[in-house]
Amino acid sequence: MMGRYFAIRIGRAMLTIVLVVTFAFVVLRLSGDPSLMILGPEAPPEVLAAFRKAWGLDDPIWMQYLDYFGAIAKGELGRSMRDGRPAIQLVLERIPATLALTLPAFAFKVALGIPAGIYAALHRGSAIDRAVMTAAVAGFTVPSFVLALLLVLVFAVQLGWLPSGGQDSWRHAILPIATLSLGGAAVLARFTRSAMLEVLGQPYIRTASAKGVPWRKVVTSHALPNAAIPTVTILGFMVGTLIAGAVVVESVFSWPGVGRLLVVAVANRDLAVVQCILLLVALTMVTSNLIVDFLYGFLDPRLRMKGAHA
């Protein structure tokens, strides 16, 4: 039963990756001619034709599609049309810079959002609960680029405490990390509060309290473990979007990571680089969700039994 459950989840994950890569491939091919973006519309027709032939752009799209998946099967993700370097090499060079932002941001999301949500749920209706939820709604609704610009305006322009962009020192990472952290912490606080309130309203919580079990033990032994299950879903999604979520922030703060590379590659129609980054993002998201599914299967046998018949 467990083997079937995991096999179904792995099959769905592989199908998702194929669909994402296919969608990206088709959209990129329909978005414009890379030769015109790289060489310019004033380039001679014979030069444009030679460029398209060299990169296989003059082949039918179905043939390009088969060639692309054939190359992936061989472990080849193409070369940049800008400088001829392997696309995977360009991406790997930028990953450390992106992780330098996203990993601390993820840690701050968890450290701030989950305790805030738990505290708000345990003090439902209080002034602290209303304050936490107001801050959570504000952090959830404000777009990341707006929050980034506000932080730059306050802490870099008005107060002059922090630099507005670049990667020269640890001080340059504070505003990008804060931008990535606050929105995610707000999401975690809202979901954690909702999960806790739902669990606290269950009959077994009232039964434990009626039997004289100390409230602290009721919360730590009964409420928190059960409320953790839906929270794991949000955490898995956030892990999957570590790279994708940095696109806007890296662009605003001129941070030389994968997100900024994606923006530049899209603008230049550098197909191999864009496809490589999207494949990496898809793998990250699918893998994180797959791990969450596995954790569900171990934590809740009912889900495993249900998923095996899905």
Side-chain angles (χ1 to χ4, degrees), residues 13 68 164 175 206 218 251:
Y68 177 59
S164 60
L175 290 182
R206 294 192 295 269
V218 171
S251 299

Side-chain angles (χ1 to χ4, degrees), residues 106 109 234-243 284-285 288:
F106 181 78
K109 289 177 189 179
I234 305 301
L235 290 175
F237 177 78
M238 288 182 174
V239 170
T241 57
L242 286 179
I243 297 176
T284 305
M285 297 187 69
S288 63

Side-chain angles (χ1 to χ4, degrees), residues 12-298:
R12 289 177 178 174
M14 295 177 63
L15 178 60
T16 301
I17 292 175
V18 172
L19 292 176
V20 169
V21 172
T22 300
F23 177 79
F25 179 90
V26 174
V27 170
L28 287 173
R29 294 312 187 278
L30 298 178
S31 61
D33 188 351
S35 61
L36 295 177
M37 294 295 301
I38 296 175
L39 300 178
E42 69 281 354
E46 58 273 14
V47 174
L48 293 174
F51 181 90
R52 296 187 185 104
K53 183 175 181 60
W55 292 98
L57 299 175
D58 57 346
D59 295 330
I61 190 171
W62 63 268
M63 186 178 296
Q64 297 181 45
Y65 179 77
L66 293 178
D67 290 341
Y68 177 59
F69 268 90
I72 291 179
K74 298 177 183 177
E76 301 173 2
L77 299 179
R79 291 180 173 272
S80 169
M81 294 181 180
R82 282 285 174 176
D83 57 15
R85 297 172 61 194
I88 186 63
Q89 181 179 345
L90 294 173
V91 174
L92 291 177
E93 290 175 355
R94 300 293 190 100
I95 286 181
T98 295
L99 294 180
L101 293 183
T102 55
L103 292 182
F106 181 78
F108 282 121
K109 289 177 189 179
V110 175
L112 180 61
I114 293 180
I118 294 174
Y119 192 86
L122 296 177
H123 298 80
R124 183 180 183 180
S126 66
I128 295 178
D129 178 30
R130 291 192 294 271
V132 170
M133 286 301 98
T134 300
V137 171
F140 179 75
T141 55
V142 175
S144 58
F145 72 91
V146 174
L147 179 60
L149 294 176
L150 288 175
L151 293 178
V152 169
L153 180 63
V154 174
F155 294 100
V157 177
Q158 297 293 334
L159 300 176
W161 292 351
L162 297 169
S164 60
Q167 194 195 14
D168 296 332
S169 68
W170 62 269
R171 297 175 68 249
H172 291 77
I174 294 178
L175 290 182
I177 290 175
T179 303
L180 290 171
S181 302
L182 294 177
V187 174
L188 274 177
R190 291 185 64 190
F191 273 88
T192 303
R193 178 181 181 273
S194 298
M196 280 292 296
L197 289 177
E198 182 177 356
V199 171
L200 291 174
Q202 296 299 315
Y204 59 84
I205 297 294
R206 294 192 295 269
T207 301
S209 299
K211 289 182 177 180
V213 179
W215 180 243
R216 181 182 297 273
K217 186 174 182 181
V218 171
V219 172
T220 57
S221 300
H222 299 280
L224 287 179
N226 288 281
I229 294 179
T231 305
V232 167
T233 303
I234 305 301
L235 290 175
F237 177 78
M238 288 182 174
V239 170
T241 57
L242 286 179
I243 297 176
V247 173
V248 174
V249 173
E250 289 183 357
S251 299
V252 172
F253 291 100
S254 300
W255 190 267
V258 177
R260 191 179 179 195
L261 175 64
L262 176 61
V263 174
V264 174
V266 170
N268 294 330
R269 297 295 190 277
D270 201 344
L271 301 184
V273 176
V274 176
Q275 291 169 170
C276 183
I277 295 175
L278 293 180
L279 178 60
L280 175 63
V281 171
L283 285 171
T284 305
M285 297 187 69
V286 169
T287 301
S288 63
N289 289 326
L290 191 62
I291 292 175
V292 169
D293 284 340
F294 286 176
L295 290 176
Y296 275 3
F298 285 111

